[in-house]
Amino acid sequence: MPMKIGNELYRKTLLTVSGNPLVEKLTLRYGKSLARKFIASSDLEGALQEVKQLNAKGIMATLDHLGEGITGLEQAASYRNEYIRLIEGISKSGVNSNVSLKPTQMGLSLNKEVCYEHIRAVVREAKYHRNFVRIDMEDSPYTDATLEIVKKLHKEQLTNVGTVIQSYLFRTEQDVQDCIQQGISLRLVKGAYKEPASIAYQNAKDVLWQYKRIIQMHLDHNVYTAIASHDDKIIKWTKQYALEHEVPKDRFEFQMLYGLRMQEQAKLAEEGYRVRCYVPYGTMWYPYYTRRLAEKPANLMMVLKNMGR
Ligand SMILES: Cc1cc2nc3c(=O)[nH]c(=O)nc-3n(C[C@H](O)[C@H](O)[C@H](O)COP(=O)(O)OP(=O)(O)OC[C@H]3O[C@@H](n4cnc5c(N)ncnc54)[C@H](O)[C@@H]3O)c2cc1C
């Protein structure tokens, strides 16, 4: 138990210091080579090659062109174009992958309407290619707006889009119920951001409890479920629950991040489970990378060791 409290403190501290400009400068200077462990490639062609190799092991993918928290709307337009190129690239190469994008990458913090139009363009392109778009969930100022975007797209018959629900938020159970009712596909996660105690569980035990609860809600409703976690407790629990309640293996999938537990991903695929790897590529790796460091002290230790070289 004391170890768990230590981990939570570590995570919060790292998410706080990662916003510090000096820490950012040091990480950009020393962390780049280690970031390659988590980032598939700096360009689309390299990322598609990586996905081919994953597919050969029976692992599906979701490709993420890195970028978030943009400062000008021209950047949002260029990310939209990059995603359209990505969807075409997936289609041409024939790899088994959908795409994941961040709403702030499409301009959510700058102009909601413009963001909606950009995401809509990407979802339409994906529909044309019979593909699917997952809108990642960012921190709580964007939760309502992200859910609104997905619901509005569904009302326009653009149903090849889904989003993500974070089990650390108190509001989560209601959001899951709403999305199930509206047929919106969800990826279920614990949550990667630093959120205040007024709106989110701060204790790993509570987050785990609510996580199991929302997985169960999905499986019980016979709704296709995407469980995105590296946590053995969650993976074992899901397998057992599915077995006991006769949920077939094609009704859910496990998702993990590129560079993490790759052997476990291959093993799950060999056991006949559906597995999807989240494959980020591009050059804007710093925010994504610091969230990965915050999740696992061992990753930070590797950076510190490399700083001396
Ligand atoms: C595919 C995917 C997409 C995601 N999308 C989002 C999103 O849109 N929004 C968002 O807020 N968050 C997202 N996340 C991040 C998520 O919210 C968590 O922050 C992250 O997954 C860490 O939680 P965890 O359940 O994986 O395990 P943790 O809570 O980090 O770890 C729990 C336990 O799992 C085991 N474990 C974890 N990592 C490893 C490892 N590398 N090797 C061995 N054992 C390990 C250990 O036993 C550890 O004690 C995503 C995660 C994944 C996998």
Side-chain angles (χ1 to χ4, degrees), residues 23-72:
V23 174
E24 177 168 351
K25 208 171 150 195
L26 281 171
T27 312
L28 288 171
R29 167 88 177 77
Y30 295 106
K32 196 170 179 178
S33 61
L34 195 75
R36 289 201 190 104
K37 176 174 151 55
F38 303 111
I39 316 298
S41 169
S42 56
D43 59 27
L44 172 59
E45 289 66 32
L48 289 171
Q49 278 306 320
E50 281 297 313
V51 171
K52 247 182 212 163
Q53 292 183 24
L54 291 168
N55 287 171
K57 294 178 190 155
I59 299 169
M60 304 174 289
T62 185
L63 276 156
D64 165 30
H65 184 265
L66 289 166
E68 56 196 276
I70 57 162
T71 49

Side-chain angles (χ1 to χ4, degrees), residues 137 166 187 189-193 229-231 257 261 295:
M137 189 58 81
Q166 299 151 325
R187 171 198 295 151
V189 299
K190 286 182 188 170
Y193 298 84
S229 174
H230 311 98
D231 192 339
L257 301 175
R261 309 209 71 187
E295 280 155 12

Side-chain angles (χ1 to χ4, degrees), residues 133-157:
V133 178
R134 177 76 62 193
I135 305 189
D136 287 345
M137 189 58 81
E138 297 177 88
D139 40 347
S140 55
Y142 304 113
T143 312
D144 278 324
T146 304
L147 287 165
E148 270 167 33
I149 290 170
V150 178
K151 288 175 185 171
K152 198 169 161 195
L153 288 166
H154 271 245
K155 282 201 183 118
E156 284 193 52
Q157 306 308 319

Side-chain angles (χ1 to χ4, degrees), residues 210-224:
Q210 175 139 275
Y211 199 16
K212 287 180 183 169
R213 171 109 189 87
I214 58 176
I215 295 171
Q216 186 178 346
M217 280 167 70
H218 264 75
L219 297 177
D220 289 353
H221 277 84
N222 197 24
V223 176
Y224 189 82

